[in-house]
Amino acid sequence: MIAGSKVIIREKSTTDAWNDYAWETDPELSHLDAVSPTTITFSLYLSDYANELSYSPPSSRRFAIDTLDSKHIGNCSYYDINETRGEAELGIMIGNRNYWNKGYGTDVVTTLVNHIFSQTNLNRIYLKTLESNSRAQKCFQKCGFTPYRHWDKGEYSFVLMEIHRNQWQERESLEATFFKEENSPPH
């Protein structure tokens, strides 16, 4: 488990399947992920889901997102891990709309990026988000990601964003200094 201030990021389990199925069959959520909604039955989905959980390729780490009171609200991952180039792609989806616009996404991204940079040798994390998804872009920028390119694929237009280890470390150092100054007793 990886603890944030609002969320717990944990290993996925088959108990997550029903929520994941509901989110993957939702047209709006699928659009935000730039994919078509899942159309298979839940029983077939569950069978595939269990197989995917039992085989996790080393180039991918998938997690469930829970609130501090253990409510499963979404998923996140880092994948296409390339140790040689020192980079991976990050993905996040808050499926439960009751938790949108309340800082949960920002906490997930911050917590996962901190975990990646403190527990791996990766030096760059990148992501793509729909050009039309300004809410996600604001979240990622708040977490230190910067846009570096636009990319069109089929009917979708994406903004590609990245953060490097040295940027993250500078950001963490500035935040620690600011926190220390804000909480020090007056002279």
Side-chain angles (χ1 to χ4, degrees):
M1 287 195 314
I2 309 163
S5 61
K6 292 182 160 227
V7 299
I8 300 291
I9 299 172
R10 61 168 172 79
E11 295 292 327
K12 296 204 56 65
S13 74
T14 54
T15 60
D16 302 324
W18 180 251
N19 284 338
D20 287 356
Y21 180 76
W23 298 330
E24 289 182 31
T25 57
D26 182 301
E28 181 185 6
L29 293 175
S30 296
H31 174 75
L32 291 172
D33 251 358
V35 297
S36 298
T38 296
T39 58
I40 61 174
T41 65
F42 179 70
S43 59
L44 183 55
Y45 179 87
L46 184 58
S47 174
D48 291 346
Y49 194 91
N51 286 335
E52 285 180 25
L53 287 180
S54 65
Y55 171 73
S56 182
S59 63
S60 179
R61 296 292 317 268
R62 297 177 359 171
F63 302 97
I65 302 166
D66 287 351
T67 61
L68 296 178
D69 60 355
S70 301
K71 182 169 182 61
H72 180 218
I73 62 168
N75 300 301
C76 62
S77 61
Y78 61 103
Y79 54 97
D80 291 340
I81 300 168
N82 185 320
E83 297 284 345
T84 305
R85 292 194 347 221
E87 62 186 23
E89 185 166 355
L90 182 138
I92 174 177
M93 193 255 311
I94 304 291
N96 186 324
R97 288 174 179 81
N98 294 329
Y99 294 87
W100 287 9
N101 299 317
K102 296 181 179 170
Y104 286 88
T106 300
D107 189 45
V108 171
V109 173
T110 301
T111 302
L112 187 57
V113 168
N114 187 54
H115 171 76
I116 294 167
F117 284 145
S118 66
Q119 301 298 314
T120 74
N121 292 322
L122 300 178
N123 290 310
R124 175 180 176 254
I125 303 168
Y126 60 95
L127 56 85
K128 63 182 172 291
T129 186
L130 288 173
E131 198 168 70
S132 60
N133 193 347
S134 59
R135 185 177 71 239
Q137 291 168 43
K138 286 177 189 172
C139 168
F140 298 135
Q141 286 177 332
K142 188 175 181 180
C143 296
F145 282 81
T146 55
Y148 69 93
R149 195 170 107 208
H150 290 268
W151 179 52
D152 293 326
K153 183 179 181 189
E155 64 188 82
Y156 299 104
S157 292
F158 296 94
V159 174
L160 282 63
M161 303 176 84
E162 66 185 353
I163 189 166
H164 294 264
R165 178 184 293 274
N166 61 344
Q167 293 169 311
W168 184 258
Q169 290 169 332
E170 286 174 25
R171 179 183 154 88
E172 293 293 295
S173 177
L174 286 173
E175 286 180 5
T177 301
F178 177 77
F179 182 77
K180 184 177 176 184
E181 288 172 2
E182 285 289 308
N183 292 301
S184 63
H187 298 299

